[in-house]
């Protein structure tokens, strides 16, 4: 039996009736019952969780909150350390107070995940500063603005239990959904927070995860996975999804990358790929790595094949812009979809210009009468720089984070792009598995509840995935009636949570 939870919970006893309960939230089961990974069944009753009062400071203002930490959110965890969550509630809500116009009953629930690189995600506890920043993190800012914060730990591609890999695809989505179900299961017992106003947040692989949670509400494909870990029998749709630079739509991300980067045959790895403890500055500076590596002949060959495959994919989606215009590409990769992508860069640059940035040295922008009117996408690759050799995601030698994400339970990496697999060695992941990792396969379906609101951000010099990928996601959502706020911040590389004031203004605008 694991003692970890009990020890942590007891250490946090507050001694005030409203915050406390006396029984730890698990009990042992009889030997007759066999479970795949754990011998303990966990109770999902929040009434038994124990809170701790804490205080942190934001802009000189004290933020008091109660933390209920490391609560296991499924009955039969595959990995108990990875499948627990923490709940943080502004102290005012325990005495009938209001913050920012919210009450205990109406406060939205902000649900950030800490996933990056498809690795295990850690609980995002409120913090005054982080490794990457001297500013308060999203969880603390959320509390300061009257939101309840619930952050789950999530299984990732390196999570093991007794030597078995238990966190490969689609475990991260299953866990995020299970955490939502835990909250709904306890809707009458939580001291504060509106379980119909859950808002997810994540960056990169965590942005992909946030997009998945927002797009796959109650999808029947996930029922067996949720049942296996003993998730509460509840709905898992959410109200809104905030996605920073989502590394999503993986089986089309390679073609999309070559559509923009084909012909650029040198690449500059990101700082985090070559340096431990890379800083946020490294992440935001695409040319921080000065030494280029040349792509091999085989990489250049597959780059062309992938580029040539992209128009057929775009055309199959029948996307329309906000004016109802159909977005397509001809065989050469030109057309209205390309114009749309250019327009997103124009909007981005014009916004920076209006904020007083000097863009005169940016050679891929086209100005007329002091305004940005067009971009030259042929010059974009040299300016932004290529970060990954082709294929960018599904590597011929199965060496990427994504190949590992699609690996088997004994850690054998697999392909997920049919074109790449045809041109290299190694097995393809199951078609059904590839399908359920991609939000694009759920949006617009009658048997799925998609979040009403999405906010998607992808920096104008983000080279981890091409802008076309979040753009396609945003368009598909918009085309099915979802409210989408999609923007490409100027000068921004692969990063998230950099505009928290705006993020929480957006949350207020959709919740009030
Ligand atoms: C992440 C970044 C990548 O470039 C990638 O391929 C997968 C994940 C990340 O930062 O999460």
């Amino acid at each position: 039996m694991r003692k970890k939870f009990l020890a942590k919970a007891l250490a946090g006893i507050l001694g005030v009736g409203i915050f406390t309960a006396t029984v730890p939230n698990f009990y042992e089961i009889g030997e007759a019952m066999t479970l795949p990974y754990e011998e303990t069944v966990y109770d999902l009753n929040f009434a038994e969780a124990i809170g701790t009062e804490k205080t942190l400071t934001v802009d000189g203002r004290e933020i008091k909150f109660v933390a209920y930490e490391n609560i296991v959110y499924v009955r039969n965890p595959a990995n108990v350390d990875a499948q627990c969550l923490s709940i943080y509630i502004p102290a005012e809500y325990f005495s009938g107070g209001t913050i920012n116009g919210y009450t205990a009953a109406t406060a939205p629930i902000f649900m950030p995940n800490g996933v990056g690189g498809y690795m295990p995600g850690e609980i995002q506890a409120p913090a005054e500063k982080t490794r990457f920043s001297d500013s308060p993190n999203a969880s603390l800012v959320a509390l300061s603005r009257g939101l309840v914060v619930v952050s789950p730990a999530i299984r990732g591609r390196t999570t093991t239990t007794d030597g078995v890999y238990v966190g490969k695809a689609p475990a991260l989505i299953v866990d995020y959904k299970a955490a939502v179900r835990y909250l709904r299961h306890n809707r009458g017992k939580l001291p504060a927070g509106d379980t119909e106003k859950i808002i997810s947040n994540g960056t990169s692989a965590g942005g992909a995860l946030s997009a998945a949670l927002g797009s796959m509400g109650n999808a029947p494909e996930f029922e067996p996975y949720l049942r296996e870990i003993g998730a509460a029998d509840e709905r898992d749709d959410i109200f809104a999804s905030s996605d920073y630079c989502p590394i999503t739509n993986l089986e089309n991300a390679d073609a999309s990358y070559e559509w923009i980067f084909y012909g650029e045959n040198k690449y500059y790895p990101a700082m985090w790929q070559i340096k431990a403890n890379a800083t946020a500055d490294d992440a935001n500076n695409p040319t921080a790595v000065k030494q280029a590596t040349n792509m091999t002949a085989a990489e250049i060959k597959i780059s062309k094949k992938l580029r040539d495959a992209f128009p057929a994919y775009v055309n199959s989606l029948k996307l329309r812009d906000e004016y109802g215009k159909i977005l397509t590409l001809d065989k050469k990769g030109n057309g209205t979809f390309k114009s749309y992508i250019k327009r997103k860069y124009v909007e981005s640059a014009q916004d920076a210009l209006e904020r007083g940035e000097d863009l005169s040295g940016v050679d891929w922008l086209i100005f007329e009468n002091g305004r940005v009117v067009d971009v030259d996408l042929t010059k974009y690759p040299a300016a932004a720089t290529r970060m990954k050799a082709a294929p960018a995601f599904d590597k011929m030698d199965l060496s990427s984070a994504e190949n590992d994400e699609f690996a088997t339970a004994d850690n054998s990496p697999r392909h997920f792009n049919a074109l790449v697999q045809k041109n290299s060695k190694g097995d393809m992941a199951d078609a059904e598995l590839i399908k359920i990792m991609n939000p694009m396969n759920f949006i617009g379906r009658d048997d799925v509840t998609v979040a009403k609101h999405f906010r998607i951000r992808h920096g104008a010099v983000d080279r981890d995935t091409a802008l076309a990928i979040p753009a396609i996601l945003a368009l598909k959502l918009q085309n099915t009636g979802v409210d989408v706020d999609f923007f490409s911040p100027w000068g921004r590389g692969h990063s998230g949570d950099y505009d928290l004031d705006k993020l929480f203004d957006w949350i207020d605008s959709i919740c009030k």
Side-chain angles (χ1 to χ4, degrees):
M1 185 177 82
R2 303 225 176 204
K3 297 278 187 201
K4 190 173 171 226
F5 172 78
L6 179 59
K8 282 192 183 175
L10 290 180
I13 284 182
L14 186 70
V16 179
I18 191 165
F19 302 145
T20 64
T22 47
V23 191
N25 81 337
F26 64 81
Y27 55 91
E28 284 192 281
I29 57 158
E31 277 173 23
M33 197 165 164
T34 52
L35 291 167
Y37 309 109
E38 290 284 329
E39 287 167 4
T40 308
V41 169
Y42 290 79
D43 182 347
L44 301 182
N45 186 2
F46 175 81
E48 295 170 353
I50 298 161
T52 312
E53 198 168 28
K54 301 192 176 189
T55 305
L56 291 171
T57 303
V58 175
D59 293 334
R61 186 160 64 96
E62 283 198 338
I63 309 297
K64 286 194 193 309
F65 59 97
V66 179
Y68 302 87
E69 296 181 290
N70 303 303
I71 301 170
V72 177
Y73 55 74
V74 290
R75 291 190 179 92
N76 321 130
N79 183 298
V80 70
D81 297 319
Q83 291 170 300
C84 52
L85 57 73
S86 295
I87 301 179
Y88 308 96
I89 299 180
E92 283 90 332
Y93 294 147
F94 293 87
S95 52
T98 64
I99 310 171
N100 186 25
Y102 298 119
T103 65
T106 66
I109 298 176
F110 182 63
M111 201 170 184
N113 76 73
V115 169
Y118 285 96
M119 296 291 279
E122 289 178 6
I123 290 171
Q124 301 295 291
E128 289 170 357
K129 53 178 104 164
T130 63
R131 184 155 74 84
F132 288 142
S133 160
D134 284 337
S135 303
N137 70 358
S139 296
L140 181 53
V141 175
L143 290 173
S144 77
R145 297 189 52 145
L147 275 61
V148 166
V149 176
V150 177
S151 184
I154 302 268
R155 286 174 292 168
R157 62 189 168 91
T158 57
T159 306
T160 57
T161 299
D162 301 333
V164 176
Y165 284 79
V166 296
K168 305 291 186 185
L172 76 174
I173 303 172
V174 176
D175 286 358
Y176 218 9
K177 281 172 167 280
V180 171
R181 288 176 174 219
Y182 172 89
L183 292 180
R184 289 236 166 80
H185 182 71
N186 286 292
R187 59 170 81 67
K189 296 175 186 153
L190 298 170
D194 181 353
T195 55
E196 295 310 306
K197 292 273 165 61
I198 295 174
I199 300 136
S200 63
N201 184 54
T203 298
S204 194
L209 173 56
S210 182
L213 188 70
S215 310
M216 303 180 183
N218 313 319
E221 288 93 327
F222 285 90
E223 286 306 323
Y225 295 101
L226 288 157
R227 218 172 299 131
E228 186 186 358
I229 56 172
D233 189 13
E234 294 283 346
R235 288 166 31 232
D236 54 45
D237 59 283
I238 60 168
F239 180 66
S241 173
S242 158
D243 317 331
Y244 288 98
C245 52
I247 301 284
T248 187
N249 197 352
L250 296 172
E251 65 272 38
N252 297 296
D254 285 305
S256 150
Y257 203 80
E258 299 316 315
W259 176 65
I260 205 87
F261 282 112
Y262 174 75
E264 183 68 20
N265 295 336
K266 321 184 280 302
Y267 61 102
Y268 300 79
M271 269 305 194
W272 62 261
Q273 290 173 303
I274 57 171
K275 180 177 127 183
N277 300 320
T279 63
D281 205 38
D282 294 330
N284 278 325
N285 182 355
T287 54
V289 178
K290 295 282 191 289
Q291 69 279 27
T293 306
N294 291 317
M295 294 213 300
T296 64
E299 287 167 344
I300 293 169
K301 198 166 153 200
I302 193 88
S303 167
K304 181 171 186 316
K305 284 189 175 154
L306 288 163
R307 178 200 67 168
D308 291 346
F310 191 57
Y313 171 62
V314 169
N315 296 343
S316 76
L317 298 171
K318 302 189 166 39
L319 299 171
R320 290 180 183 274
D321 72 8
E322 61 272 46
Y323 309 109
K325 186 172 179 182
I326 187 97
L327 301 178
T328 58
L329 292 175
D330 64 20
K331 284 203 166 96
K332 289 195 162 144
N334 295 316
T336 48
F337 180 79
K338 186 171 178 179
S339 305
Y340 176 82
I341 293 297
K342 289 168 83 174
R343 180 147 63 81
K344 295 312 286 184
Y345 285 125
V346 169
E347 272 174 22
S348 169
Q350 182 61 30
D351 176 72
L353 200 64
E354 285 167 19
R355 283 185 289 100
E357 278 197 47
D358 176 8
L359 305 183
S360 54
V362 183
D363 73 345
W364 56 286
L365 296 180
I366 298 164
F367 298 87
E368 231 171 64
N369 301 325
R371 289 186 67 81
V372 184
V373 291
D374 203 357
V375 299
D376 181 350
L377 282 188
T378 64
K379 290 187 178 152
Y380 176 83
T385 73
R386 175 194 271 275
M387 179 178 129
K388 298 164 172 179
F393 297 89
D394 189 352
K395 290 286 179 199
M396 312 280 263
D397 64 359
L398 292 162
S399 62
S400 73
E402 290 79 6
N403 293 127
D404 189 38
E405 172 64 3
F406 279 108
T408 56
D410 65 1
N411 208 26
S412 305
R414 289 184 292 186
H415 290 294
F416 47 91
N417 180 316
L419 197 157
V420 175
Q421 196 260 350
K422 219 170 66 187
N423 286 277
S424 56
K425 295 198 183 101
D427 292 337
M428 194 75 180
D430 294 344
E432 181 65 14
L433 181 60
I434 298 168
K435 183 189 135 198
I436 65 171
M437 283 292 284
N438 190 343
M440 296 295 292
N441 298 318
F442 294 82
I443 299 161
R445 268 171 45 178
D446 288 345
D447 59 344
V448 173
T449 307
V450 176
K452 286 194 172 65
H453 309 277
F454 274 71
R455 183 178 193 266
I456 303 173
R457 291 291 179 271
H458 186 87
V461 286
D462 189 321
R463 324 161 300 149
D464 283 57
T465 197
L467 178 62
I469 289 294
I472 285 170
L473 173 66
L475 287 162
K476 173 109 185 169
L477 287 162
Q478 256 162 29
N479 291 176
T480 53
V482 176
D483 164 42
V484 185
D485 176 336
F486 174 48
F487 186 67
S488 180
W490 184 254
R492 188 53 74 179
H494 193 65
S495 51
D497 290 0
Y498 41 75
D499 57 350
L500 293 176
D501 287 351
K502 287 184 187 155
L503 171 62
F504 290 106
D505 286 349
W506 173 75
I507 291 175
D508 284 349
S509 77
I510 58 173
C511 288
K512 287 184 180 174

